[in-house]
Amino acid sequence: MADIAYPWLESYWLQFQSMGARVPQALLIYGRPGLGKSTLGMLYALLTMGHHPGFFTCTVKDEESISIDQIRTLQAHVQQTVTIGSHKVVLINPIERLNRYAANALLKLLEEPPSGTYFIVISHAQTMILPTLMSRLIKMPIVVTDRSVAMTWLKNQNIAEEDALLAL
């Protein structure tokens, strides 16, 4: 088993591992910020891909949006034939930062995905995702089900108790 940084993600990781060949073509991992969704998405991508070169990320920093140019680059990437391995995995983080044109381009790609291509999308605010995109995604909400485990982990990270309570 991979070393999961956040103990509340272990059950999700086990769920991914149990999927085997039933990997969803487009998976939405969503929940509040700070729960480790990006970490889980990367681990899932590695599980799906192994260590093959068919991995592509589409991310933004700060207040930027994901542009149509980034999605066009993504489209070119997934249309290429993979020389090693049989899968291509795309990680988009966060999907709600797609601008309108990028969202429409991604929708077309999700409607007719190239064979062997898997999409993992991360969201901190799934209500901001276009309904047409949402309809193409298998949804996996990330929640902390055992607050005591999370509190123990936060305390071990030297987070003050009052800050830990706010985080949960």
Side-chain angles (χ1 to χ4, degrees):
M1 182 164 126
D3 185 26
I4 303 293
Y6 309 108
W8 54 88
L9 295 180
E10 287 182 13
S11 64
Y12 298 102
W13 179 242
L14 292 172
Q15 185 178 349
F16 284 147
Q17 290 178 315
S18 70
M19 286 181 190
R22 300 178 321 259
V23 175
Q25 187 121 29
L27 177 68
L28 169 65
I29 301 172
Y30 69 93
R32 292 180 21 210
L35 294 179
K37 296 179 301 297
S38 297
T39 300
L40 189 62
M42 287 295 291
L43 287 171
Y44 182 52
L46 289 172
L47 178 68
T48 305
M49 281 297 299
H51 294 283
H52 300 296
F55 181 62
F56 186 85
T57 60
C58 191
T59 61
V60 295
K61 296 177 184 169
D62 302 322
E63 297 301 316
E64 297 176 11
S65 65
I66 298 174
S67 70
I68 184 68
D69 290 335
Q70 287 173 282
I71 299 301
R72 286 182 181 145
T73 301
L74 162 67
Q75 287 172 324
H77 171 78
V78 299
Q79 297 298 337
Q80 294 174 354
T81 303
V82 176
T83 56
I84 300 173
S86 59
H87 303 303
K88 294 169 268 185
V89 176
V90 174
L91 178 67
I92 301 174
N93 185 14
I95 191 171
E96 63 267 13
R97 299 292 285 286
L98 291 166
N99 69 30
R100 182 179 66 192
Y101 304 108
N104 287 330
L106 179 61
L107 178 61
K108 290 179 184 174
L109 198 54
L110 290 173
E111 286 173 340
E112 296 182 31
S115 177
T117 301
Y118 299 92
F119 295 87
I120 302 167
V121 297
I122 309 296
S123 175
H124 310 300
Q126 73 278 5
T127 58
M128 296 179 63
I129 303 170
L130 291 174
T132 52
L133 279 174
M134 286 291 282
S135 71
R136 302 289 189 268
L137 302 168
I138 301 298
K139 291 129 191 102
M140 175 176 273
I142 303 299
V143 295
V144 177
T145 57
D146 189 342
R147 291 174 60 100
S148 65
V149 169
M151 282 298 291
T152 301
W153 184 86
L154 288 165
K155 286 179 184 176
N156 289 339
Q157 304 303 310
N158 297 318
I159 306 295
E161 187 170 347
E162 56 274 3
D163 292 333
L165 288 170
L166 288 173
L168 295 176

